[in-house]
Short mmCIF file of all heavy atoms in Angstrom, two decimals:
data_model
loop_
_atom_site.label_atom_id
_atom_site.label_comp_id
_atom_site.label_asym_id
_atom_site.label_seq_id
_atom_site.Cartn_x
_atom_site.Cartn_y
_atom_site.Cartn_z
N LYS A 118 83.94 111.69 99.01
CA LYS A 118 84.42 113.05 99.24
C LYS A 118 84.45 113.84 97.94
O LYS A 118 84.04 115.01 97.91
CB LYS A 118 85.81 113.05 99.88
CG LYS A 118 86.26 114.48 100.17
CD LYS A 118 87.73 114.60 100.49
CE LYS A 118 88.05 116.08 100.72
NZ LYS A 118 89.48 116.30 101.04
N ASP A 138 88.71 120.88 104.56
CA ASP A 138 88.08 119.74 105.21
C ASP A 138 87.31 120.19 106.45
O ASP A 138 87.64 121.20 107.08
CB ASP A 138 89.14 118.70 105.62
CG ASP A 138 89.56 117.83 104.43
OD1 ASP A 138 89.02 118.04 103.31
OD2 ASP A 138 90.44 116.97 104.62
N ARG A 171 102.03 117.45 109.96
CA ARG A 171 100.81 116.68 110.20
C ARG A 171 101.01 115.69 111.33
O ARG A 171 101.47 114.57 111.14
CB ARG A 171 100.41 115.94 108.92
CG ARG A 171 100.08 116.89 107.76
CD ARG A 171 99.58 116.15 106.57
NE ARG A 171 98.30 115.49 106.87
CZ ARG A 171 97.61 114.80 105.95
NH1 ARG A 171 98.09 114.66 104.73
NH2 ARG A 171 96.46 114.25 106.28
N PRO A 172 100.66 116.12 112.56
CA PRO A 172 100.78 115.19 113.69
C PRO A 172 99.80 114.03 113.54
O PRO A 172 98.72 114.20 112.95
CB PRO A 172 100.40 116.05 114.90
CG PRO A 172 100.32 117.45 114.43
CD PRO A 172 100.13 117.42 112.95
N LEU A 173 100.19 112.91 114.07
CA LEU A 173 99.29 111.76 114.18
C LEU A 173 98.92 111.63 115.64
O LEU A 173 99.78 111.31 116.48
CB LEU A 173 99.98 110.47 113.68
CG LEU A 173 99.12 109.20 113.70
CD1 LEU A 173 97.93 109.33 112.73
CD2 LEU A 173 99.95 107.98 113.34
N GLY A 183 103.65 112.12 112.18
CA GLY A 183 103.17 110.79 111.81
C GLY A 183 101.95 110.78 110.93
O GLY A 183 101.55 109.74 110.43
N GLY A 184 101.34 111.93 110.73
CA GLY A 184 100.12 111.99 109.91
C GLY A 184 100.43 111.92 108.44
O GLY A 184 101.58 111.89 108.01
N GLY A 185 99.37 111.86 107.64
CA GLY A 185 99.57 111.74 106.20
C GLY A 185 100.08 110.37 105.83
O GLY A 185 100.96 110.22 104.98
N ARG A 186 99.46 109.34 106.44
CA ARG A 186 100.01 107.98 106.25
C ARG A 186 99.85 107.50 104.82
O ARG A 186 100.76 106.90 104.25
CB ARG A 186 99.31 107.03 107.24
CG ARG A 186 99.71 107.27 108.70
CD ARG A 186 98.73 106.67 109.68
NE ARG A 186 97.46 107.40 109.65
CZ ARG A 186 96.38 106.99 110.33
NH1 ARG A 186 96.41 105.90 111.05
NH2 ARG A 186 95.26 107.70 110.25
N VAL A 187 98.70 107.80 104.22
CA VAL A 187 98.52 107.36 102.82
C VAL A 187 99.42 108.18 101.91
O VAL A 187 99.96 107.68 100.91
CB VAL A 187 97.04 107.46 102.41
CG1 VAL A 187 96.84 107.07 100.96
CG2 VAL A 187 96.19 106.57 103.31
N THR A 188 99.62 109.43 102.26
CA THR A 188 100.54 110.27 101.48
C THR A 188 101.93 109.65 101.45
O THR A 188 102.54 109.47 100.40
CB THR A 188 100.63 111.68 102.09
OG1 THR A 188 99.36 112.32 102.02
CG2 THR A 188 101.67 112.53 101.37
N GLU A 189 102.43 109.31 102.66
CA GLU A 189 103.82 108.84 102.74
C GLU A 189 104.00 107.41 102.23
O GLU A 189 105.03 107.08 101.64
CB GLU A 189 104.32 108.95 104.20
CG GLU A 189 104.27 110.36 104.78
CD GLU A 189 105.01 111.41 103.93
OE1 GLU A 189 105.96 111.04 103.19
OE2 GLU A 189 104.61 112.58 103.97
N GLN A 208 102.65 118.13 100.41
CA GLN A 208 101.43 117.42 100.80
C GLN A 208 100.50 117.24 99.59
O GLN A 208 99.49 117.95 99.45
CB GLN A 208 100.69 118.18 101.92
CG GLN A 208 101.41 118.17 103.26
CD GLN A 208 101.51 116.78 103.89
OE1 GLN A 208 100.80 115.84 103.48
NE2 GLN A 208 102.41 116.61 104.84
N LEU A 210 98.27 115.21 98.96
CA LEU A 210 96.88 114.84 99.29
C LEU A 210 96.23 115.85 100.23
O LEU A 210 95.14 115.58 100.75
CB LEU A 210 96.84 113.45 99.92
CG LEU A 210 97.36 112.28 99.08
CD1 LEU A 210 97.08 110.96 99.78
CD2 LEU A 210 96.78 112.27 97.68
N ALA A 211 96.85 116.98 100.44
CA ALA A 211 96.28 117.95 101.38
C ALA A 211 94.80 118.20 101.07
O ALA A 211 94.42 118.34 99.90
CB ALA A 211 97.05 119.28 101.29
N GLY A 212 94.00 118.25 102.11
CA GLY A 212 92.57 118.47 101.92
C GLY A 212 92.20 119.93 101.82
O GLY A 212 91.06 120.28 101.57
N GLU A 213 93.21 120.83 101.98
CA GLU A 213 92.96 122.28 101.87
C GLU A 213 93.66 122.75 100.60
O GLU A 213 94.88 122.57 100.45
CB GLU A 213 93.49 123.04 103.09
CG GLU A 213 92.65 122.82 104.34
CD GLU A 213 92.70 121.34 104.82
OE1 GLU A 213 93.80 120.80 104.96
OE2 GLU A 213 91.64 120.75 105.03
N TYR A 230 88.09 109.17 97.41
CA TYR A 230 89.29 109.83 97.92
C TYR A 230 90.37 109.98 96.85
O TYR A 230 91.45 110.50 97.13
CB TYR A 230 89.84 109.05 99.11
CG TYR A 230 89.05 109.22 100.36
CD1 TYR A 230 88.33 108.14 100.90
CD2 TYR A 230 88.98 110.44 101.03
CE1 TYR A 230 87.58 108.29 102.06
CE2 TYR A 230 88.25 110.59 102.20
CZ TYR A 230 87.56 109.51 102.71
OH TYR A 230 86.82 109.65 103.86
N GLY A 231 90.11 109.53 95.67
CA GLY A 231 91.07 109.75 94.58
C GLY A 231 91.01 111.16 94.03
O GLY A 231 91.79 111.52 93.15
N VAL A 232 90.08 111.97 94.54
CA VAL A 232 89.85 113.29 93.95
C VAL A 232 91.10 114.18 93.96
O VAL A 232 91.41 114.84 92.94
CB VAL A 232 88.64 113.99 94.63
CG1 VAL A 232 88.88 114.20 96.12
CG2 VAL A 232 88.27 115.29 93.93
N GLU A 233 91.84 114.17 95.03
CA GLU A 233 92.98 115.09 95.12
C GLU A 233 94.11 114.70 94.16
O GLU A 233 94.66 115.53 93.45
CB GLU A 233 93.51 115.15 96.56
CG GLU A 233 92.73 116.09 97.47
CD GLU A 233 91.57 115.43 98.17
OE1 GLU A 233 91.50 114.18 98.16
OE2 GLU A 233 90.71 116.15 98.72
N ILE A 234 94.44 113.41 94.14
CA ILE A 234 95.53 113.02 93.24
C ILE A 234 95.09 113.18 91.78
O ILE A 234 95.88 113.56 90.91
CB ILE A 234 96.01 111.58 93.54
CG1 ILE A 234 97.45 111.39 93.04
CG2 ILE A 234 95.06 110.51 93.02
CD1 ILE A 234 98.13 110.16 93.59
N ARG A 257 98.59 120.97 110.76
CA ARG A 257 97.21 120.53 110.53
C ARG A 257 96.94 119.26 111.32
O ARG A 257 97.63 118.25 111.13
CB ARG A 257 96.96 120.30 109.05
CG ARG A 257 95.53 119.90 108.70
CD ARG A 257 95.55 118.81 107.72
NE ARG A 257 94.33 118.74 106.91
CZ ARG A 257 93.93 117.62 106.36
NH1 ARG A 257 94.65 116.53 106.51
NH2 ARG A 257 92.83 117.57 105.63
N HIS A 259 93.82 116.63 112.40
CA HIS A 259 92.46 116.28 112.00
C HIS A 259 92.07 114.93 112.58
O HIS A 259 92.90 114.22 113.15
CB HIS A 259 92.33 116.26 110.47
CG HIS A 259 93.07 115.12 109.83
ND1 HIS A 259 92.47 114.23 108.99
CD2 HIS A 259 94.36 114.71 109.90
CE1 HIS A 259 93.34 113.33 108.59
NE2 HIS A 259 94.50 113.59 109.12
N ARG A 260 90.81 114.58 112.40
CA ARG A 260 90.34 113.29 112.88
C ARG A 260 90.94 112.20 112.00
O ARG A 260 90.89 112.31 110.78
CB ARG A 260 88.81 113.23 112.79
CG ARG A 260 88.22 111.86 113.07
CD ARG A 260 86.73 111.82 112.83
NE ARG A 260 86.31 112.55 111.66
CZ ARG A 260 86.53 112.17 110.41
NH1 ARG A 260 87.26 111.10 110.16
NH2 ARG A 260 86.09 112.89 109.40
N HIS A 261 91.52 111.21 112.58
CA HIS A 261 92.16 110.16 111.80
C HIS A 261 91.22 108.98 111.58
O HIS A 261 90.44 108.64 112.46
CB HIS A 261 93.41 109.65 112.52
CG HIS A 261 94.45 110.71 112.72
ND1 HIS A 261 95.08 111.35 111.68
CD2 HIS A 261 94.92 111.28 113.87
CE1 HIS A 261 95.92 112.24 112.17
NE2 HIS A 261 95.85 112.22 113.48
N GLN A 262 91.35 108.37 110.44
CA GLN A 262 90.58 107.17 110.16
C GLN A 262 91.38 105.93 110.54
O GLN A 262 92.59 105.99 110.73
CB GLN A 262 90.24 107.13 108.67
CG GLN A 262 89.36 108.29 108.20
CD GLN A 262 88.90 108.08 106.79
OE1 GLN A 262 88.12 107.17 106.50
NE2 GLN A 262 89.36 108.93 105.88
N LEU A 267 91.95 103.63 105.74
CA LEU A 267 93.03 104.18 104.92
C LEU A 267 93.48 103.18 103.86
O LEU A 267 93.95 103.57 102.78
CB LEU A 267 94.20 104.63 105.78
CG LEU A 267 93.93 105.79 106.75
CD1 LEU A 267 95.24 106.28 107.34
CD2 LEU A 267 93.18 106.93 106.11
N MET A 270 91.10 103.88 101.18
CA MET A 270 91.50 105.16 100.57
C MET A 270 92.71 104.97 99.66
O MET A 270 92.73 105.45 98.52
CB MET A 270 91.83 106.18 101.67
CG MET A 270 92.36 107.50 101.14
SD MET A 270 93.04 108.53 102.44
CE MET A 270 91.53 109.00 103.30
N ILE A 274 93.06 105.75 95.66
CA ILE A 274 94.09 106.64 95.12
C ILE A 274 94.93 105.91 94.07
O ILE A 274 95.22 106.45 93.00
CB ILE A 274 94.94 107.19 96.27
CG1 ILE A 274 94.11 108.20 97.10
CG2 ILE A 274 96.24 107.82 95.77
CD1 ILE A 274 94.72 108.58 98.43
O1 LIG B 402 97.17 112.41 103.61
C1 LIG B 402 96.78 111.28 104.01
O2 LIG B 402 97.53 110.29 104.04
C2 LIG B 402 95.33 111.06 104.44
C3 LIG B 402 95.28 110.41 105.83
O3 LIG B 402 95.86 111.27 106.75
P1 LIG B 402 96.22 110.75 108.25
O4 LIG B 402 97.21 109.63 108.12
O5 LIG B 402 94.94 110.28 108.90
O6 LIG B 402 96.79 111.99 108.93
O7 LIG B 402 94.61 112.30 104.46
C4 LIG B 402 94.45 113.01 103.25
O8 LIG B 402 94.09 112.20 102.18
C5 LIG B 402 92.78 112.26 101.62
C6 LIG B 402 92.83 111.62 100.22
O9 LIG B 402 93.47 112.48 99.32
C7 LIG B 402 92.24 113.67 101.53
O10 LIG B 402 90.92 113.67 101.01
C8 LIG B 402 92.22 114.22 102.94
O11 LIG B 402 91.68 115.55 102.92
C9 LIG B 402 93.61 114.26 103.51
O12 LIG B 402 93.46 114.49 104.90
#
Side-chain angles (χ1 to χ4, degrees):
K118 183 193 178 180
D138 280 359
R171 298 185 64 177
L173 182 65
R186 290 161 291 173
V187 177
T188 297
E189 301 306 334
Q208 290 294 345
L210 300 187
E213 287 65 51
Y230 286 112
V232 61
E233 278 89 14
I234 203 165
R257 183 223 204 205
H259 70 125
R260 172 186 40 72
H261 299 297
Q262 297 188 67
L267 295 191
M270 175 191 289
I274 289 167

